[in-house]
Amino acid sequence: MTTPLPSSVTAPTTAGMDAATTVRMEQAGLDALAHAFEDPNGLGGAFCRAVEILLGIQGRVVVTGIGKSGHVARKIQATLASTGTPSLYVHPAEASHGDLGMVQPDDAILAFSNSGETTELGDIAAHALRTGQPLLAVTSKATSTLATTATLALTLPAMPEACPMGLAPTTSTLMQLAFGDALAVALLRYRGFTATQFGVFHPGGRLGARLLTVRDVMHTGNAMPLTAPGTPMRDVIMEMTHKALGCVGIVGQNGELAGLITDGDLRRALDHDLTTTLAQNIMNPRPLTINPDALASEALQVMNARKRPVTSLFVLNADRQPIGVVHLHDLIRAGVG
């Protein structure tokens, strides 16, 4: 239920237009940043050098900044860590009171300051100079103290803030954020960071569920309903009932999956004499199967691909031998569905 405005307050009629102006000003900042990345003699070249430096260090990327730049730095540090680049955030003020001990000789420092004159960054910058650690400065002032003392200055285009007074960090922080995302993506690409590795760092929530593999959710060993082609149907029914996955895999002499009987196949076979009918007489010789390293979400797509969706898939190894079974209910419980 919407709370009405107090009688003394008049709803602004231009708020939507003002918001559009804000977004367009910030968009102009991002456009300028994109063009700057394309300049090999400017930010583009410096960015490539930054990637080389960070790929070459043995330690972590120490990200720092204060105020609004500090909030952005925290987000960038989190993105780096979750995409395969070891990193930590150090508050510049706390660094001056003992947290410099968190910075190790093999680390590199990535400092954010729009003006480049943030006094709180002085001690951490001086520490980098004393120890010879690479100091990468992200700023919009190429002649600032931070930029001129850094190992590498990464100068962002100087664009007007979207704040009507030109004071509140808006466009500048959005550009810093985009820069950090670009850096994290470049590093993960050159590290060959995979979706599987990403899943290791994101085991929870919807994102974790999307990155689960079939191997993570399948039933294995004695939980698999299996029988031989010559098994009487009454025994097939017992196996299907006992394992409660709605199917039975028919395994050949070499252990390969020769066919599949589902509870639907069983219902369609009720006009047979089940005391004499064998598994091989009613099995589907070309069942849908899946690889254990496929994403669980892919298993769900395979199940739903047919006009009549299936609820179970056998998981096969390279020799087409069953090593597991994944059921629709397992995917739903894992949050994939």
Side-chain angles (χ1 to χ4, degrees):
M1 182 175 180
T2 303
T3 304
L5 290 170
S7 58
S8 61
V9 177
T10 303
T13 58
T14 61
M17 294 299 295
D18 292 341
T21 299
T22 299
V23 172
R24 289 193 179 99
M25 290 185 71
E26 293 190 339
Q27 184 177 16
L30 293 179
D31 288 340
L33 179 61
H35 288 304
F37 276 132
E38 294 171 345
D39 181 4
N41 298 315
L43 180 61
F47 183 82
C48 293
R49 179 60 185 145
V51 172
E52 290 177 356
I53 290 172
L54 297 183
L55 287 174
I57 63 172
Q58 299 299 311
R60 304 152 303 174
V61 180
V62 178
V63 190
T64 189
I66 201 165
K68 303 301 184 291
S69 293
H71 294 305
V72 171
R74 287 181 186 273
K75 187 274 175 188
I76 292 169
Q77 181 274 316
T79 301
L80 289 168
S82 70
T83 52
T85 298
S87 60
L88 76 158
Y89 173 81
V90 173
H91 192 288
E94 296 296 336
S96 301
H97 296 276
D99 280 4
L100 276 175
M102 299 168 65
V103 184
Q104 299 299 304
D106 291 335
D107 296 340
I109 297 171
L110 179 64
F112 287 84
S113 171
N114 186 45
S115 67
E117 300 295 345
T118 305
T119 57
E120 290 87 351
L121 288 172
D123 288 341
I124 197 168
H127 178 77
L129 292 174
R130 283 196 305 271
T131 59
Q133 292 161 318
L135 172 61
L136 282 57
V138 182
T139 177
S140 63
K141 303 291 192 300
T143 58
S144 64
T145 302
L146 182 64
T148 55
T149 58
T151 308
L152 178 67
L154 298 139
T155 308
L156 308 186
M159 299 294 289
E161 301 287 8
C163 165
M165 297 176 292
L167 299 175
T170 47
T171 306
S172 60
T173 49
L174 183 62
M175 292 168 66
Q176 288 177 343
L177 189 62
F179 175 91
D181 286 343
L183 184 62
V185 170
L187 290 170
L188 79 85
R189 283 177 174 165
Y190 284 102
R191 290 184 193 279
F193 195 71
T194 66
T196 300
Q197 292 170 304
F198 194 79
V200 171
F201 299 143
H202 298 78
R206 290 286 296 175
L207 186 55
R210 287 174 53 196
L211 296 169
L212 286 173
T213 66
V214 170
R215 192 186 301 276
D216 296 324
V217 296
M218 69 185 186
H219 301 265
T220 61
N222 292 332
M224 290 189 293
L226 299 172
T227 193
T231 304
M233 281 305 301
R234 61 184 180 185
D235 294 332
V236 172
I237 294 171
M238 292 295 294
E239 178 74 356
M240 185 182 298
T241 303
H242 179 61
K243 301 298 174 63
L245 291 174
C247 65
V248 175
I250 312 304
V251 179
Q253 291 183 348
N254 296 323
E256 77 285 357
L257 186 69
L260 180 72
I261 297 175
T262 66
D263 50 6
D265 297 323
L266 186 59
R267 288 192 296 273
R268 288 186 287 273
L270 289 177
D271 58 346
H272 292 64
D273 181 354
L274 297 184
T275 62
T276 58
T277 303
L278 304 179
Q280 62 192 7
N281 301 136
I282 66 167
M283 71 180 188
N284 173 9
R286 292 183 296 276
L288 293 174
T289 60
I290 198 161
N291 184 285
D293 296 317
L295 291 175
S297 57
E298 183 182 340
L300 185 62
Q301 292 175 353
V302 172
M303 288 180 179
N304 291 321
R306 285 188 173 179
K307 186 175 181 180
R308 289 183 176 179
V310 301
T311 58
S312 296
L313 293 174
F314 266 88
V315 186
L316 307 184
N317 62 17
D319 296 322
R320 293 197 56 77
Q321 297 169 334
I323 59 173
V325 183
V326 59
H327 193 276
L328 176 62
H329 292 167
D330 303 319
L331 300 177
I332 293 173
R333 278 193 293 268
V336 178

